[in-house]
Amino acid sequence: MNIGVEVSALKGVGPKLTEKLNKCGIFTIYDLLLYFPRDYEFIRSDVEVNEIDGEEKQILTCRVIGYDRDVKTKSGKVISVIKFDYKGNIVLGKWFNQRYIRNSFKLNESYDLVGKFKRNGKLLEVINPMIGCKDAKESEIIPKYPLKGDLNDKIITKIINQVLDNVVITDNLPKNILDKYNMIDLDTAIREIHFPKGKIELSKAISRLKFQELFTYSMKLLLLKNNLRSNDGISFQWHDELRDLKESLPFSLTEAQTKVVRDILRDQKSKYSMNRLVQGDVGSGKTIVALIALFNVIKNGYVGALMAPTEILANQHYLEALKIFEKFDIDIELLTGSTSAKEKKRIKEKIAEGKPMLVVGTHALIQEDVEFNNLGLVITDEQHRFGVEQRNRLINKGRRPDVLVMTATPIPRTLALYMYSDLDVSIIDKLPPGRKKIDTRFYSDNERNSAYNLALDEIKKGRQVYIVCPLIEENEKLELNSVEKLYEELKEDFFSDISVEILHGKMKPKEKDEIIGKFKENQVKVIISTTVIEVGVNVPNASIMIIENSERFGLAQLHQLRGRVGRGEYESYCILIGNAKNEKTKKRMEIMTTSTDGFYISEQDLKLRGAGEMFGLRQSGDIGLVLADIYEDIDILRCARHEANNLINSKERENVKLCSEISKSIERYSRYICFN
Ligand code: ADP
Ligand code: MG
């Protein structure tokens, strides 16, 4: 059986079932094999009576010893009760509204009942038990698949079984690696993850597949890196006007910025393509670094592109570029989703021409119909919001352009090495001088008024205020303060004669921009917002950030939000309002109030929450990790990367062949396990 064929080729899979499988993302046999259970149900059979705890499902072989009369409950349900014997104990089997159930049970015969058996005095009770199969094994592990629609575990189990009966999965890891780490082969691993014989077998299968994912992931990045290294890029000269630009800036660059600019200019000059990550905490001044890099490329006669994750941010970068490049004759355009059709057409034609210019934009830049010519440098801001695929789409619009990615999410160094191992890394590790420390405080819910009084004081001093809530519409169940509700509340009381505006993700980009624009011009004093304000917005006059329900946010996110204030010369505050009843929350809030070091905070956040959640890695599917977690499985990752590296650098003929096979199958299958 060829694993590349569509599921409809399977026996018993007609058009209807095919459609249902497609909805779960299963198109080919290959997808089916890699459609792992999300969980398992462990069923133990014929345990001793004193081990029965009512928590786990069990299979017990019970003998029918009698029938009770049906009972009618107040709500009109009919309960049928059958009495069984289990190793000398009486078991009451109860069924609701199944009047004919006793026809299935003959007196004195034995049946395997599956269910949770609870103790009730001397009796055991089980409600709506299923009748298990006679040949129940010692212990059974039933896979639970992540299903959509009316697919059920039975159907999917049946077709996966059919596939497993007809395929042999060839291993693609060299035997010496398997032996070295004492791993089972791929074929067994795939079989065991679907239908484990026991818990030990299951955990071996998981380890092997985690290794597989992380090995493939490492291969992917290492190959990409090798590829870029060997790519001839454009060699840009250092343009004379660079000095004039630096002199015209309203501030002098910090040492940290200068160092990073130097790294970048060196890359630009080299004959290889640049592929660099710039990490710098919020407010460290990444934008100017990006603009200098773009300036040099444009002055060398090429097109530079700057991509931001939101329109607000793209807009801000555009305005900043206009200001910084004012005296330097640089053509600048802004392309976003809300650019009018007519404008879009004009800008696209211009980009396609390939005359030296700067184009700033959002995802609109990577739409298929945007054609670049002469693209020299691609910069993506706030990289953690984009996936590798999106980055690649922009890169592929040019012929070997230089690539710079910027992020404010401080990723602990070890992790960064693995996550971005295809990139060189520069870090802006100091903030510009004169930044005031942000006074961060935690207020419990009943101290909220103090927070708003503080905000009023700041407004009296001429400052501005951000208030952030986690949700847009009120959700009674979660009792979160929604933007709208809070607006009404504050308008009635604290801010009755102050101009307040709302900002949230469901608004049109144009409306959002208008509000941010007014806030920047200090016409609006208070913005009540969801986290759309999180990345990049720069309003130095804002001095206080109030975060409602702060316990609902990740620490890295709180740190990002806090970074919206303290950007000017004023004393600034970040007030975290919330409920810190449990220990973990208390600890998290304490980290926030005592530290302003983004790296430290993110490391703590990682420890408390795990990498998958923090970076949305698992959800993005972008790097193809399903079972493995980069942070939790860092030990496996280290080994996998080490082996991948060895394999790539090996000169042995066998290995060179293997390596090329693996890289081909990585290309062919977007997902992580490659086997033929
Ligand atoms: P981020 O790294 O978060 O993107 P920005 O680039 O938005 O930070 O910079 C934050 C603020 O710091 C901006 O107002 C910017 O003009 C200012 N800034 C950047 N570099 C310097 C510097 N060397 N000295 C003083 N202010 C600077
Ligand atoms: Mg920024």
Side-chain angles (χ1 to χ4, degrees), residues 251-254 257 280-288 320 432-433 435 536 538 540 567:
F251 44 74
S252 52
L253 294 181
T254 62
Q257 284 169 318
D281 212 342
V282 269
S284 61
K286 292 183 291 295
T287 316
I288 190 65
E320 183 74 9
R435 290 283 159 78
N538 187 29
R567 300 190 143 237

Side-chain angles (χ1 to χ4, degrees), residues 469-471 473-483 485 549 551-552:
C469 314
L471 276 187
E473 276 146 27
E474 194 167 353
N475 181 333
E476 278 180 354
K477 224 165 102 194
L478 291 173
E479 288 184 36
L480 299 183
N481 272 316
S482 73
V483 167
K485 184 178 142 223
N549 294 105
E551 74 278 1
R552 306 244 164 211

Side-chain angles (χ1 to χ4, degrees), residues 29 133 244 280 495 500 598 638 649:
I29 307 270
C133 41
D244 304 334
F495 300 143
V500 182
R638 272 200 195 106
N649 293 320

Side-chain angles (χ1 to χ4, degrees), residues 607-661:
K607 277 196 192 140
L608 292 167
R609 296 203 304 161
E613 203 178 329
M614 180 167 164
F615 299 111
L617 285 182
R618 257 197 270 237
Q619 297 87 315
S620 80
D622 185 57
I623 58 179
L625 300 181
V626 176
L627 296 170
D629 179 294
I630 284 196
Y631 189 70
E632 272 163 29
D633 299 316
I634 192 141
D635 292 332
I636 306 180
L637 178 55
R638 272 200 195 106
C639 300
R641 192 180 144 86
H642 174 74
E643 298 303 337
N645 205 16
N646 280 352
L647 189 63
I648 286 175
N649 293 320
S650 169
K651 299 275 184 295
E652 272 173 55
R653 257 192 43 218
E654 277 289 285
N655 286 344
V656 172
K657 200 171 137 236
L658 189 62
C659 190
S660 110
E661 260 171 33

Side-chain angles (χ1 to χ4, degrees), residues 387-652:
V388 180
E389 305 300 333
Q390 285 168 318
R391 164 156 56 105
N392 285 343
R393 258 167 78 186
L394 188 52
I395 296 168
N396 290 335
K397 296 225 172 239
R399 265 187 308 187
R400 295 172 192 165
D402 277 358
V403 177
L404 191 68
V405 302
M406 306 199 294
T407 180
T409 306
I411 303 153
R413 234 172 217 283
T414 43
L415 196 54
L417 194 67
Y418 293 110
M419 273 180 72
Y420 294 116
S421 59
D422 59 322
L423 304 171
D424 298 310
V425 178
S426 295
I427 299 180
I428 307 182
D429 50 10
K430 280 245 162 57
L431 298 183
R435 290 283 159 78
K436 291 266 160 43
K437 189 164 172 286
I438 302 164
D439 184 350
T440 305
R441 304 174 188 175
F442 179 79
Y443 285 1
S444 64
D445 285 326
N446 49 25
E447 297 169 304
R448 284 180 67 216
N449 285 358
S450 323
Y452 291 111
N453 278 324
L454 188 63
L456 273 181
D457 289 346
E458 286 298 298
I459 294 169
K460 273 187 208 132
K461 285 190 221 155
R463 302 288 82 75
Q464 289 162 281
V465 180
Y466 293 108
I467 302 170
V468 174
C469 314
L471 276 187
I472 310 168
E473 276 146 27
E474 194 167 353
N475 181 333
E476 278 180 354
K477 224 165 102 194
L478 291 173
E479 288 184 36
L480 299 183
N481 272 316
S482 73
V483 167
E484 274 149 17
K485 184 178 142 223
L486 190 65
Y487 175 83
E488 275 161 31
E489 217 179 281
L490 292 174
K491 238 359 220 178
E492 246 172 47
D493 190 358
F494 282 95
F495 300 143
S496 53
D497 48 3
I498 287 170
S499 64
V500 182
E501 290 283 355
I502 288 183
L503 202 68
H504 58 73
K506 286 195 184 152
M507 286 162 68
K508 293 214 179 71
K510 235 205 170 109
E511 293 174 86
K512 281 193 255 181
D513 281 344
E514 257 166 47
I515 290 172
I516 290 278
K518 279 197 215 153
F519 192 65
K520 279 189 170 165
E521 283 158 25
N522 201 356
Q523 290 167 27
V524 169
K525 296 291 176 189
V526 180
I527 282 194
I528 304 180
S529 152
T530 56
T531 49
V532 291
I533 210 80
E534 173 196 354
V535 290
V537 174
N538 187 29
V539 180
N541 192 48
S543 67
I544 175 164
M545 162 68 69
I546 297 176
I547 303 172
E548 297 270 354
N549 294 105
S550 55
E551 74 278 1
R552 306 244 164 211
F553 295 87
L555 294 190
Q557 200 177 14
L558 288 177
H559 182 65
Q560 285 270 335
L561 287 167
R562 175 166 63 183
R564 298 305 113 224
V565 297
R567 300 190 143 237
E569 63 210 86
Y570 312 107
E571 197 74 50
S572 298
Y573 303 89
C574 174
I575 310 294
L576 306 168
I577 298 180
N579 174 336
K581 274 195 201 128
N582 76 41
E583 278 307 309
K584 203 163 160 183
T585 311
K586 234 181 238 162
K587 188 131 179 249
R588 282 154 48 82
M589 292 303 143
E590 202 178 296
I591 292 167
M592 285 308 296
T593 51
T594 53
S595 175
T596 50
D597 178 349
F599 280 89
Y600 172 78
I601 290 172
S602 82
E603 197 130 23
Q604 296 305 310
D605 204 17
L606 261 175
K607 277 196 192 140
L608 292 167
R609 296 203 304 161
E613 203 178 329
M614 180 167 164
F615 299 111
L617 285 182
R618 257 197 270 237
Q619 297 87 315
S620 80
D622 185 57
I623 58 179
L625 300 181
V626 176
L627 296 170
D629 179 294
I630 284 196
Y631 189 70
E632 272 163 29
D633 299 316
I634 192 141
D635 292 332
I636 306 180
L637 178 55
R638 272 200 195 106
C639 300
R641 192 180 144 86
H642 174 74
E643 298 303 337
N645 205 16
N646 280 352
L647 189 63
I648 286 175
N649 293 320
S650 169
K651 299 275 184 295
E652 272 173 55

